Structures are given as structure tokens and as C-alpha cells.
Coordinates of all heavy atoms in Angstrom, one line a residue:
L1 N 27.9 4.5 -11.6 CA 27.6 3.2 -11.1 C 27.0 3.3 -9.7 O 27.4 4.2 -8.9 CB 28.9 2.3 -11.0 CG 29.7 2.2 -12.3 CD1 31.0 1.4 -12.0 CD2 29.0 1.7 -13.5
N2 N 26.0 2.5 -9.4 CA 25.3 2.5 -8.1 C 26.1 1.7 -7.1 O 25.5 0.9 -6.3 CB 23.9 2.0 -8.3 CG 23.0 2.4 -7.2 OD1 23.0 3.6 -6.8 ND2 22.2 1.5 -6.6
R3 N 27.4 1.9 -7.0 CA 28.3 1.2 -6.1 C 28.5 2.1 -4.9 O 28.6 3.3 -5.0 CB 29.6 0.8 -6.8 CG 29.5 0.0 -8.1 CD 29.2 -1.4 -7.8 NE 29.3 -2.2 -9.0 CZ 30.3 -2.9 -9.4 NH1 31.4 -2.9 -8.6 NH2 30.3 -3.6 -10.5
P4 N 28.7 1.5 -3.7 CA 28.9 2.3 -2.5 C 30.3 3.0 -2.6 O 31.2 2.6 -3.2 CB 29.0 1.2 -1.4 CG 28.3 0.0 -2.0 CD 28.6 0.0 -3.4
L5 N 30.3 4.2 -1.9 CA 31.5 5.0 -1.7 C 31.9 4.9 -0.3 O 31.1 4.5 0.6 CB 31.2 6.4 -2.1 CG 31.1 6.7 -3.6 CD1 30.6 8.2 -3.8 CD2 32.4 6.5 -4.3
P6 N 33.2 5.2 0.0 CA 33.6 5.3 1.4 C 32.7 6.2 2.2 O 32.1 7.2 1.7 CB 35.0 5.9 1.3 CG 35.5 5.5 0.0 CD 34.2 5.5 -0.9
D7 N 32.5 6.0 3.5 CA 31.7 6.8 4.4 C 32.1 8.2 4.3 O 33.2 8.6 4.3 CB 31.8 6.3 5.9 CG 31.2 4.9 6.1 OD1 30.4 4.5 5.2 OD2 31.5 4.3 7.1
G8 N 31.0 9.0 4.2 CA 31.2 10.5 4.2 C 31.2 11.1 2.8 O 31.1 12.3 2.7
E9 N 31.4 10.3 1.8 CA 31.5 10.8 0.4 C 30.0 10.8 -0.2 O 29.3 9.8 -0.1 CB 32.4 9.9 -0.5 CG 33.8 10.1 -0.1 CD 34.8 9.4 -1.1 OE1 34.4 9.4 -2.3 OE2 35.8 8.9 -0.7
E10 N 29.7 11.9 -0.8 CA 28.3 12.0 -1.3 C 28.2 11.2 -2.6 O 29.1 11.3 -3.5 CB 28.0 13.5 -1.6 CG 26.5 13.7 -2.0 CD 26.1 15.2 -2.0 OE1 27.0 16.0 -1.6 OE2 25.0 15.5 -2.5
H11 N 27.1 10.5 -2.8 CA 26.9 9.7 -4.0 C 25.8 10.3 -4.9 O 24.8 10.8 -4.4 CB 26.4 8.3 -3.6 CG 26.7 7.2 -4.6 ND1 26.0 7.1 -5.8 CD2 27.6 6.2 -4.6 CE1 26.5 6.1 -6.5 NE2 27.4 5.5 -5.8
P12 N 26.0 10.3 -6.2 CA 25.0 10.9 -7.1 C 23.8 10.0 -7.3 O 22.8 10.4 -8.0 CB 25.8 11.1 -8.4 CG 26.8 10.0 -8.3 CD 27.2 9.8 -6.9
L13 N 23.9 8.7 -6.8 CA 22.7 7.8 -7.0 C 22.3 7.4 -5.6 O 22.2 8.2 -4.6 CB 23.1 6.6 -7.9 CG 23.3 7.0 -9.3 CD1 23.9 5.9 -10.1 CD2 22.0 7.5 -10.0
F14 N 21.9 6.1 -5.4 CA 21.3 5.7 -4.1 C 21.6 4.2 -3.9 O 20.8 3.3 -4.0 CB 19.8 5.9 -4.0 CG 19.1 5.8 -5.3 CD1 18.8 4.6 -5.9 CD2 18.7 7.0 -5.9 CE1 18.1 4.6 -7.1 CE2 18.0 7.0 -7.1 CZ 17.7 5.7 -7.7
P15 N 22.9 3.8 -3.7 CA 23.3 2.4 -3.5 C 22.7 1.8 -2.3 O 22.6 0.5 -2.2 CB 24.8 2.5 -3.3 CG 25.1 3.9 -2.9 CD 24.1 4.7 -3.6
D16 N 22.1 2.6 -1.4 CA 21.4 2.0 -0.2 C 20.0 1.6 -0.6 O 19.3 0.9 0.3 CB 21.4 3.0 1.0 CG 20.8 4.3 0.6 OD1 20.9 4.7 -0.6 OD2 20.2 5.0 1.5
R17 N 19.5 1.9 -1.7 CA 18.1 1.7 -2.1 C 17.9 0.9 -3.4 O 16.7 0.7 -3.8 CB 17.3 3.0 -2.1 CG 17.4 3.8 -0.8 CD 16.4 4.9 -0.7 NE 15.0 4.4 -0.8 CZ 14.0 5.2 -1.0 NH1 14.2 6.6 -1.1 NH2 12.8 4.8 -1.1
A18 N 18.9 0.6 -4.1 CA 18.8 -0.1 -5.3 C 20.0 -1.0 -5.5 O 21.0 -0.8 -4.9 CB 18.7 0.9 -6.5
P19 N 19.9 -2.1 -6.3 CA 21.0 -3.0 -6.5 C 22.3 -2.3 -6.9 O 22.3 -1.3 -7.7 CB 20.5 -3.9 -7.6 CG 19.0 -3.9 -7.5 CD 18.7 -2.4 -7.1
H20 N 23.4 -2.9 -6.5 CA 24.7 -2.3 -6.8 C 25.1 -2.5 -8.3 O 26.0 -1.9 -8.8 CB 25.7 -2.8 -5.9 CG 25.6 -2.4 -4.4 ND1 26.3 -2.9 -3.4 CD2 24.7 -1.5 -3.9 CE1 25.9 -2.3 -2.3 NE2 25.0 -1.5 -2.5
S21 N 24.3 -3.4 -8.9 CA 24.5 -3.7 -10.3 C 23.9 -2.6 -11.2 O 24.1 -2.6 -12.4 CB 24.0 -5.0 -10.7 OG 22.6 -5.1 -10.4
A22 N 23.1 -1.7 -10.6 CA 22.4 -0.7 -11.4 C 23.4 0.4 -11.8 O 24.5 0.6 -11.2 CB 21.3 -0.1 -10.6
F23 N 23.1 1.2 -12.8 CA 24.0 2.3 -13.3 C 23.1 3.3 -13.9 O 21.9 3.2 -14.1 CB 25.0 1.7 -14.3 CG 24.4 1.0 -15.5 CD1 24.1 1.7 -16.7 CD2 24.1 -0.4 -15.4 CE1 23.6 1.0 -17.7 CE2 23.5 -1.0 -16.5 CZ 23.3 -0.3 -17.7
S24 N 23.7 4.4 -14.3 CA 22.9 5.6 -14.8 C 23.8 6.5 -15.7 O 25.0 6.7 -15.5 CB 22.4 6.4 -13.6 OG 21.5 7.4 -14.0
A25 N 23.1 7.1 -16.7 CA 23.6 8.3 -17.3 C 22.9 9.4 -16.6 O 21.7 9.4 -16.4 CB 23.2 8.2 -18.8
I26 N 23.7 10.4 -16.2 CA 23.2 11.5 -15.5 C 23.5 12.9 -16.1 O 24.6 13.1 -16.6 CB 23.8 11.6 -14.0 CG1 23.5 10.2 -13.3 CG2 23.2 12.7 -13.2 CD1 24.1 10.2 -11.9
G27 N 22.5 13.7 -16.2 CA 22.7 15.1 -16.8 C 22.4 16.2 -15.9 O 21.6 16.0 -14.9
H28 N 23.0 17.3 -16.1 CA 22.8 18.6 -15.4 C 21.3 18.8 -15.1 O 20.4 18.6 -16.0 CB 23.4 19.7 -16.2 CG 23.3 21.1 -15.6 ND1 23.8 21.3 -14.4 CD2 22.8 22.2 -16.1 CE1 23.6 22.6 -14.1 NE2 23.0 23.2 -15.1
M29 N 21.0 19.3 -13.9 CA 19.6 19.7 -13.5 C 18.7 18.6 -13.4 O 17.5 18.7 -13.5 CB 19.1 20.8 -14.4 CG 19.9 22.1 -14.5 SD 20.3 22.8 -12.9 CE 18.6 23.4 -12.4
G30 N 19.2 17.3 -13.3 CA 18.3 16.2 -13.0 C 17.8 15.4 -14.2 O 16.6 14.9 -14.2
Q31 N 18.7 15.2 -15.2 CA 18.3 14.2 -16.3 C 18.9 12.9 -15.9 O 20.1 12.8 -15.6 CB 18.9 14.7 -17.6 CG 18.9 16.2 -17.9 CD 17.6 16.9 -17.6 OE1 16.5 16.5 -18.0 NE2 17.7 18.0 -16.8
Y32 N 18.1 11.8 -16.0 CA 18.5 10.5 -15.6 C 18.0 9.4 -16.5 O 16.8 9.4 -16.9 CB 18.0 10.1 -14.2 CG 18.7 10.9 -13.1 CD1 18.2 12.2 -12.7 CD2 19.8 10.5 -12.4 CE1 18.8 13.0 -11.7 CE2 20.4 11.2 -11.4 CZ 19.9 12.5 -11.1 OH 20.5 13.2 -10.1
I33 N 18.9 8.5 -16.9 CA 18.5 7.2 -17.4 C 19.1 6.2 -16.5 O 20.3 6.0 -16.4 CB 19.1 6.9 -18.8 CG1 18.8 8.1 -19.8 CG2 18.6 5.6 -19.4 CD1 19.5 7.9 -21.1

């Protein structure tokens, strides 16, 4: 989910640049839906 995390925690997406309602399937080495 493209939801914010507490400060200092690394996010696998980008909640600062896309709506928080967005979501993703993520695969090893950079596969994304």
C-alpha cells in the first residue's frame, strides 16, 4: 500500500508522490504493477 510509514522507515513505494489510495504488486529486481 502507498500509505505513509513512521519517519525513518524506508518505503517500497512513494507515498510522497502519489495518492495514498494507490497500491502495488511488487516483485524481486524491480517488477511492479
